[in-house]
Amino acid sequence: MKKYLSVFLLTFLSFNAFAQITFEPGYIINNSGEKINCLIKNNGWKNNPTKFEYKIDSNAEVREGGIYNIAEFSIENGKKYARKEIKIDRSKSILKRLSKTKEAEFILETLFLEQLVEGDANLFYYEDSNLVRFFYNLNNNSTTQLIYKKYLTENNRIGENTEYKKQLWHDLKCGNSSLDDVKSTDYKKSELLSFFTSYNQCKNPSYVSSTISQRDNKDVFNLGLRAGLNSASMNFKSPQSKY
């Protein structure tokens, strides 16, 4: 009896998950820069997609969009992806496969990056199985990876390359921000979201992010409010040693 019940539950959950994959309002921007409103099949995308399906309207045929023909796409109140040609370090973080090189080992790729924050400073996210990388640009200039890498030292210990903190300090200082604020920022989505939101609010006090995924980050308003309060209350400390 328990066996049949388990099979039934698995079947029901699988059907329910499948049923939730629907075409939802959104837009695409093609290679000509034309923005087209359409319906996009929402697959959830834990890993960043390389292609997706869309329809011009509910009665139209299904088309495929991908890195080759789409510059940007977004689902209304959902995720936004922008095509970027970037240098990415794909070094492994699994202990048995750690690199013995401290420096990032870049390869040039064209990828869809999820845009987490839009403003004077833009924050992007990339996930591929166990690989997580963050990217940024200022004023829509060239996009660069925020560098964090685990590696194996000469003594077979795990070392950490936290160069992203140098990047944050050099490129995103604003107002009363201090080196301690940078040092305490971990290479995590929530903390980088807060850091970039705080920077954009420092540059523009009326700033409100419009591109953070409302599905994945339900506390957008609280995050922005908290970042604004933190920015206003920071006490500047002249760093004794700079990166």
Side-chain angles (χ1 to χ4, degrees), residues 196-228:
F196 274 74
T197 301
S198 180
Y199 173 85
N200 285 325
Q201 289 183 328
C202 176
K203 288 291 185 179
N204 177 10
S206 62
Y207 168 82
V208 176
S209 177
S210 60
T211 60
I212 298 174
S213 170
Q214 295 184 17
R215 291 198 176 112
D216 288 349
N217 305 285
K218 296 180 180 179
D219 297 326
V220 173
F221 175 78
N222 291 331
L223 172 66
L225 179 61
R226 185 167 62 252

Side-chain angles (χ1 to χ4, degrees), residues 168-187:
L168 295 178
W169 177 246
H170 289 153
D171 294 339
L172 282 87
K173 289 195 297 287
C174 184
N176 293 332
S177 60
S178 73
L179 189 58
D180 287 339
D181 301 319
V182 173
K183 286 182 175 180
S184 63
T185 301
D186 291 332
Y187 201 77

Side-chain angles (χ1 to χ4, degrees), residues 44-46 48 79 81 114-117 123-127 132-134 146 185-197 212-213 215-218 223 226:
W45 298 299
K46 180 182 185 299
N48 288 45
K79 293 183 177 182
Y81 291 94
E114 180 186 351
Q115 186 156 8
L116 298 179
V117 176
L123 176 65
F124 302 90
Y125 178 75
Y126 180 78
E127 181 173 356
V132 170
R133 296 289 185 265
F134 294 93
L146 286 166
T185 301
D186 291 332
Y187 201 77
K188 296 179 179 178
K189 183 183 288 188
S190 59
E191 300 207 9
L192 289 170
L193 277 169
S194 181
F195 192 94
F196 274 74
T197 301
I212 298 174
S213 170
R215 291 198 176 112
D216 288 349
N217 305 285
K218 296 180 180 179
L223 172 66
R226 185 167 62 252

Side-chain angles (χ1 to χ4, degrees), residues 28-149:
I28 59 172
I29 296 179
N30 60 27
N31 288 340
S32 300
E34 181 184 9
K35 183 176 181 179
I36 303 170
N37 293 323
C38 61
L39 298 171
I40 298 174
K41 189 174 183 179
N42 185 2
N43 288 299
W45 298 299
K46 180 182 185 299
N47 295 325
N48 288 45
T50 57
K51 58 185 179 181
F52 62 96
E53 294 180 328
Y54 70 97
K55 300 190 293 185
I56 297 302
D57 58 56
S58 58
N59 297 318
E61 64 178 8
V62 176
R63 302 182 183 183
E64 180 180 272
I67 292 171
Y68 56 91
N69 65 344
I70 300 296
E72 179 179 302
F73 73 96
S74 176
I75 293 177
E76 188 176 301
N77 298 323
K79 293 183 177 182
K80 173 183 175 180
Y81 291 94
R83 183 181 66 198
K84 300 288 183 181
E85 184 178 54
I86 43 86
K87 292 180 180 179
I88 182 171
D89 172 33
R90 288 187 174 271
S91 300
K92 305 297 183 183
S93 58
I94 302 172
L95 180 59
K96 293 182 179 179
R97 303 184 67 181
L98 285 180
S99 169
K100 294 184 179 180
T101 303
K102 178 180 179 180
E103 289 73 26
E105 301 169 88
F106 289 117
I107 53 177
L108 185 65
E109 295 187 31
T110 301
L111 302 169
F112 278 134
L113 301 182
E114 180 186 351
Q115 186 156 8
L116 298 179
V117 176
E118 182 176 7
D120 290 285
N122 300 293
L123 176 65
F124 302 90
Y125 178 75
Y126 180 78
E127 181 173 356
D128 183 9
S129 297
N130 293 323
L131 181 76
V132 170
R133 296 289 185 265
F134 294 93
F135 297 82
Y136 77 108
N137 67 43
L138 298 176
N139 302 312
N140 293 312
N141 290 319
S142 60
T143 302
T144 305
Q145 181 182 317
L146 286 166
I147 299 170
Y148 173 80
K149 177 182 177 179

